[in-house]
Amino acid sequence: MSRNDLRSQSLDLLRFPLAVVVLVIHIFNTEGFTIQGNTISLENMPILLEVNRFIDGFLRGQSVPIYFFISGFVFFLGIELTREKYFQKLKNRLKTLLIPYIIWNIVDVLILLTLFLPCFSSLVPNLYKVRLDFSLPAILQTFWNAAEGIFVRPLTIVEAVGSSIYPQYIPLWFVRDLMIVVLCTPLLYWLLRRTRHYLVGILGILWFTLAYWDLGHINQLLTAFFFFMWGAYMSVNKKDMMHEFYRFFKSSMILYPLLALLFVASVHYWPAASDTIKRLNVFVGLFFAYNAASWLLRHGVCKVSPFLAASSFFVYVTHELICSILLKLLFLIFRPATDLGLLFLYLFTVVFTVVFLLLVFYLLRRYSPSFLKVIAGRK
């Protein structure tokens, strides 16, 4: 296998596991979940709470930065960004990003509106405290900042994430910010050609240091711009990713799990340091993920599944519609009294959601590829 093939396959190998990681962190939440107006807290479930903290340390916050990096690398791979090429890229991103973004936000809105039917009143009693606003500004804000959208008290986790802003369908904040970065690529390309790694370094410093202030959407955009530009820098300057990342193979294999464990410990003993440790862990996580993928391929432990790689965006963009409902339904059915019982429900929800979405993706790909291409931006 050539170095270019190994580089490409390493990136493809990462796509599906990263989507599953997002699914896992959206299910395993240390805040618990709300059902029939009651919050199921994990404070009295020490085993499940500790499992969630380990997941926070090893997985939370890792996938989206790597997706931004891959997007930046692929966007500039093997091209000179001329005016014609830029508009060609925009046309392609219109199909792969904007159209699915609009569709799935609308789907989430329609699902929430359906829950206003009387038959669901016992399941979501707090829904009737929500006031609907169908003014044009509110409708438009629904696709940008749900806190000011159709649902005046939106059924989102806005309260739990500071002043960061999210569209109505929360996982799509990644797509929204990626589209913003793509629109800026002519300027970014011009800057990269003149500043080389210095621009990436400045963005990295800002991403790391400004995290200590709650700057809302600015913090989210810094994540998008830094990791996208890091990947773009590798492409524009024709850097050998295999060589650049492999130099840090041993250190990333040691530092990543060490920082994850330090984060878990800091939650208990030094909460003030947890944000710093997590930022370092996310940064090292990119090296760890790519080096792990390339090692697995080089040693024949696994190989890329074109089906799983192709399904990654579909799993990412649809999982939130399934997993939270399934978890609550299973809880109502089995009513687990222990944290081990609830842990089993969490694990089953992860497995079932992944298998179900892969089955749906397979059926759509086989029997309705045109429809799949519209809703997922790809076949």
Side-chain angles (χ1 to χ4, degrees):
M1 184 186 303
S2 69
R3 293 177 72 85
N4 284 343
D5 287 341
L6 183 58
R7 178 197 66 199
S8 177
Q9 290 197 34
S10 296
L11 295 177
D12 285 341
L13 183 62
L14 287 172
R15 295 179 189 274
F16 180 73
L18 291 175
V20 175
V21 165
V22 174
L23 186 155
V24 169
I25 64 175
H26 284 168
I27 292 176
F28 284 84
N29 191 327
T30 52
E31 301 297 326
F33 58 92
T34 301
I35 183 169
Q36 293 183 317
N38 300 314
T39 299
I40 309 303
S41 174
L42 305 186
E43 290 300 324
N44 298 320
M45 300 182 176
I47 295 177
L48 183 56
L49 183 60
E50 207 58 36
V51 168
N52 282 11
R53 285 172 175 162
F54 269 83
I55 289 174
D56 284 350
F58 281 88
L59 301 180
R60 188 172 298 279
Q62 303 294 343
S63 289
V64 169
I66 298 174
Y67 274 139
F68 280 128
F69 177 90
I70 294 174
S71 299
F73 182 82
V74 172
F75 189 92
F76 290 100
L77 186 60
I79 69 166
E80 294 289 332
L81 193 64
T82 62
R83 179 185 177 89
E84 293 74 19
K85 182 62 70 173
Y86 172 65
F87 283 107
Q88 179 184 341
K89 291 276 188 179
L90 282 186
K91 183 179 179 180
N92 181 54
R93 295 315 186 272
L94 176 72
K95 299 175 182 177
T96 61
L97 296 176
L98 180 58
I99 293 176
Y101 180 82
I102 293 172
I103 288 174
W104 290 107
N105 271 298
I106 291 175
V107 168
D108 194 52
V109 168
L110 293 177
I111 290 174
L112 290 177
L113 290 176
T114 301
L115 294 177
F116 276 84
L117 295 174
C119 58
F120 296 111
S121 59
S122 61
L123 292 177
V124 281
N126 289 333
L127 189 65
Y128 291 94
K129 299 177 182 179
V130 175
R131 182 169 58 85
L132 300 178
D133 180 1
F134 289 105
S135 66
L136 181 59
I139 292 173
L140 295 177
Q141 282 286 8
T142 298
F143 293 88
W144 181 264
N145 180 13
E148 300 178 8
I150 292 174
F151 303 95
V152 175
R153 290 185 58 195
L155 303 181
T156 66
I157 58 170
V158 172
E159 295 81 2
V161 290
S163 62
S164 298
I165 68 172
Y166 296 88
Q168 185 60 48
Y169 190 45
I170 293 174
L172 291 179
W173 78 266
F174 158 72
V175 177
R176 179 200 61 197
D177 289 358
L178 178 58
M179 290 189 291
I180 294 172
V181 178
V182 167
L183 287 173
C184 298
T185 48
L187 174 61
L188 299 178
Y189 181 72
W190 183 85
L191 289 172
L192 268 181
R193 295 298 294 267
R194 285 154 180 80
T195 64
R196 296 177 296 171
H197 61 280
Y198 295 107
L199 175 61
V200 180
I202 292 171
L203 287 171
I205 292 171
L206 292 174
W207 168 76
F208 189 89
T209 57
L210 293 184
Y212 297 100
W213 290 272
D214 187 1
L215 301 178
H217 196 199
I218 292 177
N219 293 130
Q220 294 168 288
L221 287 175
L222 280 173
T223 298
F225 275 91
F226 169 48
F227 286 95
F228 184 93
M229 289 301 290
W230 188 359
Y233 165 76
M234 303 288 285
S235 278
V236 170
N237 292 279
K238 297 180 173 57
K239 293 290 182 178
D240 185 345
M241 189 184 295
M242 296 298 302
H243 172 72
E244 296 290 334
F245 277 43
Y246 193 71
R247 290 187 301 163
F248 303 99
F249 180 84
K250 291 183 179 179
S251 58
S252 65
M253 293 296 117
I254 296 171
L255 280 175
Y256 179 72
L258 177 61
L259 287 167
L261 292 173
L262 284 174
F263 173 83
V264 175
S266 71
V267 172
H268 292 284
Y269 305 111
W270 196 12
S274 60
D275 287 343
T276 300
I277 295 170
K278 190 59 190 176
R279 284 274 155 167
L280 292 171
N281 194 33
V282 170
F283 179 80
V284 175
L286 176 58
F287 293 90
F288 175 85
Y290 185 78
N291 283 325
S294 61
W295 186 91
L296 290 172
L297 290 170
R298 283 200 310 271
H299 290 80
V301 177
C302 63
K303 56 184 179 180
V304 175
S305 166
F307 173 77
L308 292 181
S311 70
S312 58
F313 184 76
F314 180 79
V315 172
Y316 176 89
V317 83
T318 58
H319 74 274
E320 187 71 11
L321 300 175
I322 305 295
C323 61
S324 59
I325 296 175
L326 176 62
L327 179 62
K328 294 175 182 179
L329 180 62
L330 290 173
F331 183 86
L332 288 174
I333 294 173
F334 294 103
R335 300 283 183 176
T338 65
D339 49 357
L340 286 177
L342 189 54
L343 175 60
F344 174 79
L345 290 190
Y346 275 71
L347 293 173
F348 181 82
T349 301
V350 170
V351 174
F352 181 88
T353 303
V354 171
V355 172
F356 176 76
L357 291 178
L358 287 177
L359 177 61
V360 173
F361 179 80
Y362 170 79
L363 294 174
L364 289 174
R365 197 181 193 191
R366 181 168 183 178
Y367 297 107
S368 187
S370 298
F371 177 69
L372 177 63
K373 188 174 183 180
V374 172
I375 64 172
R378 60 219 75 194
K379 295 181 180 180

